[in-house]
Amino acid sequence: MAEIHRYAAFTSTPTGGNPAGVVLDARGLDETRMQQIAAEVGYSETAFAFPTGPRRFDLRFFSPLAEVAFCGHATVATAVALAERTTTGDLHFNTPAGEIAISTSADSSGAVRAGLRSVATTSRAATEVEVREALKALRWNDEDLDSALPPHVAFGGNEHLVLAVRTRGRLADLDYDFDGLKSLMLERNWTTLQLVWQQDDEVFHSRNPFPVGGVVEDAATGAAAAALGGYLRSLGRVTEPRRLTVIQGEDMGRPSRITVDVGPASPRVTVTGGAVAIPLD
């Protein structure tokens, strides 16, 4: 029987961040069983690791409803869980989205952090139809959007529609059409929506609806954070190396902090955060 670990990612406390299921040795599990386990765990993602060599793993991700090509918070959770059981250092994950290099290290208290180097990010302007349909499902208006940060479809392992709003209040007031947004996202092959408000040059607040995974919202979305870095680079906002902080999960009561490092010379983005085990009840 597969041993299932539970970790909260992009946080230092089990009550914060985004919970993920982690199976560190999934050999012998087929897709049907992995999907069943993910549904039983009930988190937005469960990661399944298949050892292939020294510190190398195939890694697959399942939401309660379907397999996902890449999941940042479950990748960080898996890396931290492995480092805690072996040693810190580099890891290599082969995911359906591509090869992901991971670095892990421990601070003076022993807490482990993991930094993932994303696949190459891309970003394109969203079409008028895409924006109009998304706003309808969100029950938002054109006036809610920040004209300085135009809507894009950004990729950091999965595709995410990026919509920036003018005010923190608009971001906090999220009450969307679950079925309508799910249908649109399935049609467009978007994994989450990356809804952001820019506090200043270094800090973004984010909310990520995830109806295609069977949950209303993600508390921390590492893949979307990578996509956000690529999005800003595509807009010409990264003329020198930048370190950003993405704050997510506050409006859910599960605050998360994601560090994003992006540079002008490479389309790959580094996403870093901690993870802690969630005690069993």
Side-chain angles (χ1 to χ4, degrees):
M1 180 179 293
E3 184 176 6
I4 304 166
H5 306 278
R6 291 166 171 80
Y7 273 73
F10 296 113
T11 182
S12 59
T13 172
T15 58
N18 201 3
V22 176
V23 177
L24 295 178
D25 189 347
R27 287 175 293 188
L29 300 180
D30 60 17
E31 290 185 4
T32 299
R33 183 58 185 138
M34 287 189 284
Q35 187 63 74
Q36 290 173 343
I37 290 172
E40 291 164 3
V41 171
Y43 295 154
S44 61
E45 304 288 351
T46 295
F48 297 86
F50 296 81
T52 59
R55 302 186 72 80
R56 289 184 174 273
F57 300 81
D58 288 343
L59 198 60
R60 297 177 68 177
F61 312 95
F62 286 78
S63 79
L65 294 182
E67 185 171 9
V68 175
F70 180 66
C71 173
H73 84 273
T75 297
V76 166
T78 302
V80 170
L82 287 167
E84 288 179 342
R85 286 159 178 79
T86 57
T87 184
T88 56
D90 293 340
L91 295 162
H92 297 274
F93 293 152
N94 181 39
T95 77
E99 184 82 9
I100 303 294
I102 309 287
S103 62
T104 63
S105 60
D107 63 19
S108 58
S109 70
V112 177
R113 289 173 61 82
L116 68 88
R117 186 72 166 163
S118 77
V119 298
T121 59
T122 60
S123 190
R124 64 162 177 86
T127 67
E128 291 185 11
V129 171
E130 288 172 332
V131 175
R132 181 172 68 248
E133 291 178 341
L135 291 178
K136 179 181 178 182
L138 290 167
R139 303 188 177 104
W140 287 2
N141 300 309
D142 289 335
E143 293 75 18
D144 293 316
L145 300 182
D146 182 351
S147 60
L149 294 168
H152 266 223
V153 176
F155 175 83
N158 303 305
E159 286 199 329
H160 309 265
L161 176 66
V162 181
L163 295 176
V165 296
R166 292 189 304 106
T167 68
R168 181 66 178 88
R170 174 71 279 180
L171 190 65
D173 186 15
L174 183 62
D175 178 23
Y176 68 88
D177 176 355
F178 187 93
D179 291 333
L181 188 57
K182 178 181 178 180
S183 295
L184 173 61
M185 292 171 68
L186 288 172
E187 177 186 344
R188 302 292 183 177
N189 197 33
W190 298 335
T191 299
T192 72
L193 264 59
Q194 174 78 314
L195 310 176
V196 297
W197 172 70
Q198 185 173 3
Q199 175 180 312
D200 53 39
D201 286 344
E202 297 179 350
V203 178
F204 285 79
H205 293 252
S206 175
R207 300 189 73 172
N208 285 66
F210 188 35
V212 296
V215 297
V216 173
E217 182 179 356
D218 250 355
T221 317
L228 179 66
Y231 160 77
L232 294 171
R233 181 176 180 271
S234 75
L235 292 180
R237 300 294 186 91
V238 182
T239 57
E240 59 183 10
R242 289 185 65 181
R243 171 164 288 182
L244 309 171
T245 298
V246 177
I247 298 174
Q248 194 176 331
E250 284 186 324
D251 298 297
M252 302 172 61
R254 297 195 67 96
S256 308
R257 295 182 70 89
I258 306 171
T259 301
V260 178
D261 287 287
V262 56
S266 172
R268 297 181 183 271
V269 176
T270 300
V271 175
T272 304
V276 292
I278 299 173
L280 297 177
D281 293 334

